[in-house]
Amino acid sequence: MEYVTLGKTGLKISRMGFGGIPIQRIDADGTKKLMKMLVEKGLNYIDTARGYTVSESFIGEGIEGMRDRFVLATKSMSRTKEAMAKDIDISLENLRTDYIDLYQVHNPNMEQLLTVIGEGGALEALKEAKEAGKIGHIGITVHSLEVFEKALEMDWVETIMFPYNIVERQGEELIHKCSEKNIGFIDMKPLAGGAIEDGRLALRFVCANPDVTVVIPGMYDVSEIEKNMEAVEDVSELTAEELEAMEKVRKQLGTNFCRRCNYCQPCTVGINISGCFLFQGYLDRYGLEDWAKDRYGAMAVKAGACVECGACETRCPYNLPIRQMLKKCAEEFGA
Ligand code: SF4
Ligand code: SF4
């Protein structure tokens, strides 16, 4: 595994890190096994978040006795000083450590970013925690280009995390600026939230870009770690076949697709929004009609139940026309 420097933090990390979102699907014992495997394989970068329910605490338990083998990164949605200070302490407790290497402001929109940097904002707590030695570095995770651009101008920002993959290349120019400014670029959603089925192809694409410091595919299975490592360790040039396959993925997915981040939840009437789109994808794109219909049929609340209140759309960082998309989903599944 190649090791790189995470921008101005100076942290030495593996080019592939561990994305901690899917840990929510497994238990503490399963997480322990994964953490041991990371050590064996030389992966030392772990990304989690206060918002990923049990992720921080499972990881904390899983790395007990091995803390020094990892660079730990987490994040919080808190925007005020008081709330952020509280969250940093909770993260430290969950992760069973007295020091977190990188603490990130989690996905603020422009208005929230201004609160974060304003008087009494979360940044004050982060700077105090840094001075107190509770955290080592401060970063930010973003979904919008506008906030990305703004973050590039802020001198406290040591790392930026943004989605970048075969079908989401809108950040390419700004990602290049990160490398010019020595800001570590952390790539989230290399598989477009699971929409890109071919994980190897997806990781080959991301790692072919030298501006990407580290890629953090979400993983919850030992075999996934092995497969993903193999793709990241293959540093050969992309072949004509691979480039062609990437073009095919772009044509299949377009731009209006769900990344399964679930920021749109909860739905007013209990629809599992990303679940609907997932099964629809299997129906439309992957020719798994019976399987998709079966799984969709088992959902308690179907797309057709949408009352079009629009609450979900205000929360979707990709501004997806969820109501319209659910209508189409209901038509295709007939419910
Ligand atoms: S618009 Fe539909 S899917 Fe969105 S929150 Fe309202 S009911 Fe749920
Ligand atoms: S609809 Fe938007 S917010 Fe909801 S899971 Fe999909 S991409 Fe995320």
Side-chain angles (χ1 to χ4, degrees), residues 83-101:
M84 182 58 89
K86 212 165 144 196
D87 263 357
I88 293 170
D89 285 340
I90 296 172
S91 294
L92 286 166
E93 198 184 320
N94 283 346
L95 289 163
R96 302 188 184 194
T97 181
D98 56 4
Y99 179 77
I100 290 165
D101 298 273

Side-chain angles (χ1 to χ4, degrees), residues 257-265 273-274 277 312 315-320 322:
F257 65 93
C258 172
R259 281 79 167 175
R260 297 188 216 159
C261 59
N262 288 330
Y263 286 124
C264 53
Q265 295 290 354
I273 298 170
S274 63
F277 298 145
C312 54
R315 296 189 286 257
C316 174
Y318 304 98
N319 299 317
L320 292 186
I322 299 175

